[in-house]
């Protein structure tokens, strides 16, 4: 590797000549595993473009999720980062990543582990921490996420944003991630849009979410059946709904349970059957939400009002938050089955007597 010393300027980092990403795939006999929804991005112009969406990375600390054969990894290192943490679940990719690590001495740390369970609150030096109200810290999360993990992972990170823990212990850490194009459209959908969903509300109430650009499926190996979009997240100083993450998610999930029906149908599922009608009316009237709107037509202020009102109702009746609509349905089904099974022997006995 080479550090070019320029008088009066900070030395620019350059990776030495290395095998191409395609060569590394051949060298280590790497094959994308369909069950892990792996797709490799080999075009370094595209990996550079993804990394540019993260912003200024010179001397930054970066965590790359699922680096695989290391295409995006090269682009991150070429951006002049201070430290790069690689978290890779698939052991087959570790030797290729170690080759990159040796080409950038002291810059790369490789963790063989699962990002869903890795403790991110200790991933970076303490001196990088910033107050939540300050500009975002010099920390970035970048990743070409496998489709199977992208939605649960972003929900987990949004919960971390809400609680200011995990990677957000350091402040408003920015994220630049890939998603299926359809998921990216859900993340950024506006009220009234056909892709408006639970994901739209949960992400937009906590972050500024930007759909940066779309990468055609044929750019990946193997080619996925869908296109891929790059999405950039910056946590907001103040969430748009100032209620606990679990409460917001419960309300939003309930509303979108019947996305094609009037919104009151989903809201009904927040309440036990015995008092459903009365409480649904109270919630909708107090929150000033038209019950005949469809879920995708509701604005962020509608959801804010619904969450704030539901919180008051839960404060007055603490058992309300624990209520589970699906559990009540299961119990009712179980009871019907039990009644049928106990009534059958009686019926047989009566018939025998006749």
């Amino acid at each position: 590797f080479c550090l070019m010393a320029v008088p009066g300027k900070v030395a620019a980092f350059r990776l030495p000549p290395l095998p191409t990403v395609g060569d590394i795939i051949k060298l280590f006999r790497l094959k994308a595993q369909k069950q892990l929804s792996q797709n490799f991005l080999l075009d370094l112009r595209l990996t550079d473009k993804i990394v540019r969406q993260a912003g200024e990375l010179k001397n930054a600390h970066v965590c790359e999720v699922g680096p695989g054969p290391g295409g995006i990894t090269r682009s991150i290192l070429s951006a002049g980062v201070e430290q790069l943490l690689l978290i890779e679940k698939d052991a087959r990719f570790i030797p290729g990543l170690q080759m990159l690590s040796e080409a950038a001495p002291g810059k790369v740390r490789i963790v063989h582990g699962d990002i869903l369970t890795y403790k991110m609150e200790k991933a970076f030096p303490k001196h990088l921490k910033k107050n939540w109200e300050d500009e975002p810290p010099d920390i970035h999360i970048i990743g070409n996420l496998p489709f199977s993990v992208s939605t649960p992972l972003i929900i987990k990170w949004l919960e971390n944003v809400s609680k200011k823990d995990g990677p957000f212990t350091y402040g408003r850490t920015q994220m630049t991630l890939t998603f299926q194009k359809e998921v990216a459209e859900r993340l950024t959908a506006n009220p009234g849009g056909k892709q408006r969903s639970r994901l739209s509300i949960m992400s937009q109430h906590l972050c500024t979410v930007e759909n940066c650009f779309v990468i055609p499926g044929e750019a990946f190996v193997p080619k996925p059946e869908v296109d891929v979009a790059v999405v950039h997240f910056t946590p907001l100083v103040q969430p748009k709904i100032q209620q606990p993450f679990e409460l917001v998610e419960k309300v939003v999930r309930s509303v979108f349970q019947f996305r094609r029906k009037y919104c009151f149908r989903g809201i009904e599922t927040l309440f036990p059957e015995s008092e459903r009608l009365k409480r649904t009316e109270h919630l909708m009237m107090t929150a000033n939400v038209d019950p005949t709107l469809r879920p995708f037509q509701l604005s962020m202020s509608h959801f804010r009002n619904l969450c704030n009102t539901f919180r008051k109702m839960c404060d007055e009746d603490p058992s309300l938050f624990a209520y589970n609509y699906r559990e009540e349905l299961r119990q009712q089904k179980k009871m019907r089955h039990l009644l049928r099974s106990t009534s059958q022997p009686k019926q047989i006995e009566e018939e025998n007597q006749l």
Side-chain angles (χ1 to χ4, degrees), residues 250 270 310 314 317-325 327:
K250 186 178 174 81
L270 288 167
F310 185 63
C314 289
D317 178 2
S319 68
L320 191 56
F321 186 75
Y323 168 71
N324 186 314
Y325 171 71
E327 183 57 34

Side-chain angles (χ1 to χ4, degrees), residues 10 26 54 59 65 138 160 211 239 248 278 280 287 320 343 352:
V10 178
K26 287 174 191 164
N59 302 324
V65 183
D138 220 0
N160 290 147
N211 195 337
V248 178
K278 183 180 154 191
T280 302
L320 191 56
S343 66
N352 287 340

Side-chain angles (χ1 to χ4, degrees), residues 49-55 72 140-145 147 150-151 154 157-158 173-189 199-200 203-204 207-215 220 227-235:
K49 191 176 178 183
I50 291 170
V51 170
R52 280 198 297 274
Q53 297 302 321
I72 294 176
H140 297 262
I141 296 171
I142 299 174
N144 173 29
L145 304 177
F147 297 155
S150 60
T151 303
I154 196 59
W157 276 339
L158 289 169
T173 300
Q174 296 176 80
M175 302 182 285
T176 309
L177 306 167
T178 62
F179 296 89
Q180 287 183 51
K181 186 183 170 195
E182 188 181 315
V183 176
E185 286 169 352
R186 283 186 211 148
L187 285 162
T188 54
L199 218 45
S200 319
S203 56
Q204 291 171 35
C207 297
T208 300
V209 191
E210 183 190 354
N211 195 337
C212 303
F213 66 96
V214 174
I215 304 172
F220 293 86
D227 292 337
V228 172
V230 177
V231 183
H232 184 76
F233 300 82
T234 306

